[in-house]
Amino acid sequence: TLALALMGLLPPAAELRGSIQFQGRELTGLTDRDLQTVRGAELGIVFQESSLALNPLLRAGVQIAEVVRAHERCDRGAALERARAAMAEVGLGENLPRIFDAYPHELSGGERQRVLIAQAIVCRPRLVIADEPVASLDADVRADVLGLIRTLNEQLGISFLLITHSADVLATTATRVIKMTAGRIDDRPEVPTRTTTRVRRTSPRVEGGERGTGTGEPLVELRGLRRTYTHRRMFSGRRHEVEALRGVDMDIERGSTLGLTGRSGCGKSTLARCMAGLEPADAGHIRINGTDIAALRGRALLPYRNQLQVIFQDSAAALNPRFTAGQIVIEPLVIQGIGTAADRRHRAAELMALVELPSDRLESRPEEFSGGERQRLAIARALAVDPAVLIFDESFSGLDQATRSRILGVLMHLQAARGLTFVCISHDLALLAEFASEVALMREGRIVERGVPDEVLYRAYAGHRGDTLSPDLAPIGATA
């Protein structure tokens, strides 16, 4: 909310009082036209939900170039070159031609996040507000982006307001830390200190839960799963193919918690969407309780829709902005004609309480919730249809540690009571070490390793440094 106030982007229902002075200029009370001269040129912002912040109808490179053309006098060619340079600065140089011409939905969550950062810095603003800018990035890219923030700060004098739940990000990047509590600045000074997190022994404990170990019976079976995306350039015959899945073979036991990790763009989210039937696989089999759903179409697929539910990384993009929180949670029940209106409202209140959202927020709309609250709202909606499998795609990255621990505890209790199966996609190795009974490591569309969390995560760091995904696990090689 503080970040949106600084940018003049609060929703219409918000009432803003007080003063915001930027380089001696009062920002409160400025018209939208006046604010447009400040946003992008002098004040940049990196939003937490990249899929909401990017225009789905424009290619990534064009969206960055638009910022340049809006604030500087240059032709289209020069603006596009500036966009390419900014994308290279944030670590997209290796795949620059593909990403530059891709639409947001064709990019991974990490790639979209880096496009947003490039958009924020391309005009060299005086201040960049970064709201959880590296929460969805693997450790290599995360370290590069944080290093870029330090470089832009030190060499170009760009100031950063970094909003994050990660003590490690603060310790390696911030020069001063301000703590907020219940809408106020805590007066006690905070000094960023680096904390060491080992794989298991010192990672935060999940409250009141025991992770599921599985029954030994496969609930989900994947065989030879393949998915290729074809990107075609407008007004030309050129096309670029990306093999997101290259023959994935994997079983997921009933009642287990499988952690799925790997570098940004390795195919984790594509695998989740194919499993849930949200997009078709090009080849292979997806069996749920022995039925191959990859071969089903239309009404034949409906009975299996409820069994697998996905909570996406950018949960706000999956929430209807015109709906209230209560309507969002009960939407699946309304579509399927389950229960009376009173039953549904009672169910919505129960589920919101389960994920620690007060029932008096039933009439609030998504824009009135924080990023972490929207993630919890998405979890509540997924639970409404009593699924057999819940797939969490970086669903906990926007939550503070205490809330995350409590929600994981609730999920573990539900798993024990209902025999739920979880697939947790995450770059947070400490989270996977506590939550998952097994971890699978993906690389370039394939499962390359699978086993007990401590062993796989240790080898991912020590043996495959390109696949390590959490910078606060750097001491593992010396201490494990």
Side-chain angles (χ1 to χ4, degrees):
T1 300
L2 181 62
L4 294 176
L6 289 170
M7 296 293 292
L9 295 174
L10 287 170
E15 179 185 353
L16 181 64
R17 296 188 300 271
S19 174
I20 302 173
Q21 292 198 6
F22 177 68
Q23 297 193 116
R25 182 183 184 184
E26 180 61 52
L27 297 185
T28 56
L30 290 183
T31 64
D32 282 341
R33 181 179 292 274
D34 289 334
L35 281 171
Q36 285 173 10
T37 65
V38 178
R39 296 190 201 115
E42 299 179 64
L43 272 173
I45 188 166
V46 180
F47 289 101
Q48 185 172 341
E49 288 106 352
S50 59
S51 59
L52 281 184
L54 294 172
N55 188 329
L57 303 179
L58 293 179
R59 299 176 189 271
V62 171
Q63 297 198 49
I64 299 170
E66 272 195 337
V67 179
V68 179
R69 300 194 73 186
H71 296 286
E72 299 181 16
R73 291 185 176 181
C74 64
D75 60 27
R76 185 175 182 274
L80 291 172
E81 284 305 311
R82 289 274 297 277
R84 288 189 179 90
M87 292 174 77
E89 281 183 313
V90 298
L92 295 173
E94 183 178 348
N95 297 304
L96 186 55
R98 172 181 66 83
I99 296 174
F100 191 88
D101 288 323
Y103 291 100
H105 74 275
E106 297 173 321
L107 302 175
S108 70
E111 288 168 340
R112 286 197 301 268
Q113 196 68 13
R114 282 176 278 171
V115 169
L116 273 188
I117 296 170
Q119 198 176 43
I121 68 168
V122 68
C123 285
R124 296 295 190 260
R126 303 306 303 162
L127 171 66
V128 172
I129 302 166
D131 187 0
E132 294 285 2
V134 295
S136 62
L137 304 180
D138 64 65
D140 287 346
V141 177
R142 177 170 161 165
D144 289 343
V145 170
L146 293 178
L148 172 64
I149 288 175
R150 291 192 293 269
T151 298
L152 294 171
N153 173 251
E154 295 165 3
Q155 297 184 6
L156 301 178
I158 297 178
S159 300
F160 284 84
L161 176 60
L162 186 61
I163 301 171
T164 182
H165 290 125
S166 171
D168 184 78
V169 169
L170 293 175
T172 58
T173 311
T175 54
R176 185 163 63 104
V177 176
I178 295 172
K179 181 180 178 182
M180 289 191 72
T181 305
R184 297 179 182 273
I185 300 295
D186 195 325
D187 291 334
R188 291 171 296 178
E190 293 275 341
V191 178
T193 56
R194 181 169 178 83
T195 57
T196 297
T197 305
R198 301 181 185 181
V199 172
R200 284 291 307 282
R201 296 171 189 152
T202 60
S203 56
R205 299 295 302 178
V206 174
E207 292 186 12
E210 196 66 36
R211 57 186 174 185
T213 55
T215 62
E217 173 193 3
L219 173 63
V220 180
E221 301 170 83
L222 309 178
R223 295 292 182 270
L225 211 60
R226 294 183 174 275
R227 181 71 167 119
T228 299
Y229 297 107
T230 301
H231 301 163
R232 290 181 175 84
R233 293 205 61 175
M234 194 179 298
F235 307 122
S236 78
R238 288 194 297 168
R239 67 179 190 174
H240 181 80
E241 290 190 347
V242 177
E243 288 186 273
L245 301 177
R246 303 183 182 190
V248 173
D249 294 312
M250 183 168 65
D251 289 346
I252 303 173
E253 290 183 16
R254 189 185 304 275
S256 68
T257 300
L258 174 68
L260 186 60
T261 193
R263 299 188 69 179
S264 296
C266 71
K268 304 184 298 296
S269 294
T270 299
L271 181 60
R273 291 193 296 270
C274 289
M275 285 173 57
L278 298 177
E279 63 177 75
D282 297 326
H285 303 279
I286 305 170
R287 297 188 181 94
I288 301 175
N289 283 323
T291 300
D292 187 1
I293 67 167
L296 301 180
R297 296 291 183 271
R299 287 192 171 275
L301 186 59
L302 289 180
Y304 299 92
R305 287 286 192 186
N306 286 354
Q307 294 194 34
L308 285 91
Q309 293 290 307
V310 185
I311 297 95
F312 293 100
Q313 179 176 320
D314 291 334
S315 57
L319 304 180
N320 190 328
R322 295 187 175 91
F323 279 13
T324 65
Q327 290 172 325
I328 286 170
V329 173
I330 66 172
E331 183 183 14
L333 304 180
V334 173
I335 291 171
Q336 298 180 36
I338 299 173
T340 65
D343 291 338
R344 295 168 190 157
R345 186 172 180 84
H346 179 69
R347 178 69 169 153
E350 279 185 338
L351 290 169
M352 287 183 67
L354 194 64
V355 296
E356 300 193 332
L357 291 175
S359 58
D360 61 6
R361 301 290 300 278
L362 279 169
E363 300 304 319
S364 300
R365 299 190 183 275
E367 65 181 21
E368 299 173 48
F369 290 93
S370 70
E373 288 172 334
R374 285 195 292 264
Q375 284 177 315
R376 284 182 270 165
L377 192 60
I379 292 172
R381 181 177 64 176
L383 290 169
V385 292
D386 294 321
V389 181
L390 278 179
I391 304 172
F392 302 96
D393 188 356
E394 290 287 0
S395 307
F396 307 107
S397 61
L399 303 178
D400 63 80
Q401 183 59 56
T403 301
R404 185 177 78 173
S405 176
R406 289 194 296 271
I407 290 179
L408 290 177
V410 168
L411 291 171
M412 287 177 175
H413 281 305
L414 285 172
Q415 183 177 53
R418 303 181 186 179
L420 292 173
T421 302
F422 297 148
V423 178
C424 184
I425 299 172
S426 182
H427 290 131
D428 188 335
L429 300 190
L431 166 68
L432 295 181
E434 286 297 334
F435 189 39
S437 49
E438 269 194 299
V439 171
L441 178 65
M442 283 193 76
R443 188 185 305 131
E444 296 179 351
R446 296 185 177 93
I447 303 294
V448 296
E449 190 166 3
R450 181 173 177 176
V452 177
D454 287 2
E455 296 177 2
V456 173
L457 299 180
Y458 172 76
R459 285 195 293 271
Y461 176 79
H464 307 288
R465 300 230 167 183
D467 287 314
T468 185
L469 304 171
S470 181
D472 59 2
L473 295 179
I476 293 175
T479 62

